[in-house]
């Protein structure tokens, strides 16, 4: 087992997984503290690196593309203070960090973990229920429904429609963008069969973000929803062979003929009604 304990957090590697626990130091971001401990299976890793600096170094984990719903929903846009896959290392612990790096690399080699993308999430995403207030709304997710409740800062045109509720089956994609410079950020849900290019300020399926402290917490909502959506790289469901479909249709029609015969025998259908119904079924055969 390899372990490194720092103010920024504690990382432990037991040969099968890495346990990443955020530190309690005042400099640890609210996002990382709220996200809490992460358990990353070795198979989700693409690599590990350690970079030394004059005053402090940095351990970095690189995950396989598609392994983590958080990285997918945020598109890698979590800035350095909020990235849970980085650990600041004090200069007097460089030797420990190098040993930790070697142990993880050896684990990857021994298990022959490929670096290629995956077609299923290997991390579960944030636990639910979740509720975050930031920007122009409070976003909540209970595992099945997303609820957007507007506040006094919401644009009138968007707030006029009232509280927005979306089921998972209605959502085809979710994304989180931080505010950058003069451009506001957003948490946006793409609704099936209802694409829009409206700015988040006016989009009733988006939360507009202005770059305040709680904005990154909206990424937790995005990740929790993303973890429960179909993986974008998952294989498409196999089509039912045409021959099987024909057989199923044939069997259904035969059952229908038997039902019609029973209805005719019991007097529910007249001779004329039975003849017409039977002919309609025979035509489909």
């Amino acid at each position: 087992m390899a372990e490194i304990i720092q103010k920024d957090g504690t990382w432990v590697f037991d040969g099968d997984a890495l346990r990443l626990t955020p530190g309690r130091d005042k400099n640890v971001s609210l996002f990382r503290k709220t996200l809490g401990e992460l358990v990353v299976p070795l198979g989700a890793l693409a690599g590990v690196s350690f970079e030394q600096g004059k005053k402090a170094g940095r351990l970095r984990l690189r995950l396989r593309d598609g392994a983590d719903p958080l990285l997918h929903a945020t598109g890698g846009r979590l800035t350095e203070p909020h990235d849970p896959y980085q650990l600041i290392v004090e200069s007097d612990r460089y030797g420990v960090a190098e040993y930790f790096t070697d142990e993880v690399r050896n684990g990857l080699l021994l298990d022959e973990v490929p670096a290629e993308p995956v077609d299923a999430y290997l991390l579960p995403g944030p636990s639910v229920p979740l509720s975050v207030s930031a920007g122009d709304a409070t976003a909540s997710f209970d595992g099945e429904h997303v609820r957007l409740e507007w506040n006094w800062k919401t644009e009138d045109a968007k707030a006029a429609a009232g509280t927005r509720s979306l089921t998972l089956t209605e959502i085809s994609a979710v994304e989180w963008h931080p505010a950058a410079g003069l451009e506001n950020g957003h948490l946006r849900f793409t609704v099936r069969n209802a694409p829009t290019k409206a700015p988040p300020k006016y989009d009733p399926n988006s939360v507009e973000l202005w770059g305040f402290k709680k904005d990154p917490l909206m990424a937790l909502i995005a990740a929790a929803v993303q973890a429960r959506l179909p993986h974008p790289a998952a294989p498409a469901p196999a089509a039912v062979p045409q021959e099987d479909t024909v057989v199923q249709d044939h069997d259904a029609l035969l059952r229908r003929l038997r039902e019609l015969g029973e209805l005719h025998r019991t007097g529910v259908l007249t001779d004329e009604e039975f003849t017409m119904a039977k002919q309609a079924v025979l035509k489909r055969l």
Side-chain angles (χ1 to χ4, degrees):
M1 186 177 78
E3 180 182 60
I4 180 166
I5 303 174
Q6 294 290 278
K7 292 180 180 179
D8 199 33
T10 298
W11 286 12
V12 178
F13 175 56
D14 63 7
D16 296 319
L18 291 98
R19 190 176 297 275
L20 316 179
T21 307
R24 297 181 179 180
D25 188 76
K26 64 179 181 180
N27 293 322
V28 176
S29 74
L30 176 63
F31 174 83
R32 287 179 58 205
K33 290 179 179 178
T34 306
L35 177 61
E37 185 176 83
L38 288 176
V39 178
V40 183
L42 186 62
L45 283 186
V48 58
S49 64
F50 173 58
E51 305 160 6
Q52 294 189 15
K54 292 182 178 180
K55 295 183 179 180
R58 198 173 302 275
L59 268 171
R60 299 178 189 269
L61 296 180
R62 182 166 57 87
L63 272 62
R64 298 170 65 184
D65 288 344
D68 182 17
L70 172 63
L71 293 182
H72 183 88
T74 60
R77 289 179 287 267
L78 281 171
T79 54
E80 188 174 289
H82 312 299
D83 186 348
Y85 302 116
Q86 296 187 36
L87 182 71
I88 297 174
V89 180
E90 297 170 2
S91 58
D92 61 349
R93 291 293 182 270
Y94 282 180
V96 178
E98 289 172 346
Y99 172 75
F100 187 92
T101 302
D102 289 341
E103 287 295 292
V104 175
R105 286 176 177 168
N106 289 338
L108 290 171
L109 290 173
L110 287 173
D111 281 24
E112 298 181 343
V113 177
E116 287 78 12
V118 295
D119 58 9
Y121 294 122
L122 302 181
L123 280 82
S127 58
V128 295
L130 275 172
S131 183
V132 175
S133 296
D136 66 352
T138 294
S140 305
F141 180 54
D142 62 6
E144 295 181 358
H145 302 85
V146 170
R147 183 179 175 87
L148 302 178
E149 299 178 77
W150 313 116
N151 57 38
W152 65 274
K153 295 172 284 187
T154 309
E155 178 67 26
D156 290 345
K158 186 162 72 170
T163 298
R164 188 77 166 124
S165 182
L166 299 169
T167 64
L168 271 181
T169 55
E170 294 178 277
I171 300 170
S172 60
V174 57
E175 62 179 11
W176 172 86
H177 278 262
L182 298 177
E183 184 178 351
N184 291 337
H186 65 261
L187 169 68
R188 186 191 296 275
F189 299 95
T190 301
V191 177
R192 297 183 189 279
N193 304 317
T196 179
K197 294 183 178 179
K201 182 176 182 178
Y202 302 105
D203 180 8
N205 300 314
S206 296
V207 177
E208 186 179 31
L209 303 173
W210 300 306
F212 296 125
K213 184 178 180 180
K214 290 188 176 181
D215 283 11
L217 297 182
M218 284 292 182
L220 297 175
I221 300 284
V225 173
Q226 186 67 58
R228 290 161 177 81
L229 294 177
H231 194 285
V240 177
Q242 188 173 359
E243 292 182 3
D244 290 351
T245 303
V246 172
V247 170
Q248 292 171 10
D249 289 345
H250 186 270
D251 290 344
L253 293 173
L254 289 177
R255 286 196 300 272
R256 182 58 179 158
L257 280 175
R258 289 194 291 269
E259 291 170 356
L260 290 172
E262 181 65 19
L263 292 172
H264 180 245
R265 186 182 65 79
T266 57
V268 175
L269 293 178
T270 65
D271 291 344
E272 183 180 356
E273 290 171 335
F274 171 66
T275 300
M276 293 178 61
K278 183 175 71 172
Q279 288 176 348
V281 172
L282 291 175
K283 285 181 180 179
R284 294 179 62 187
L285 280 170

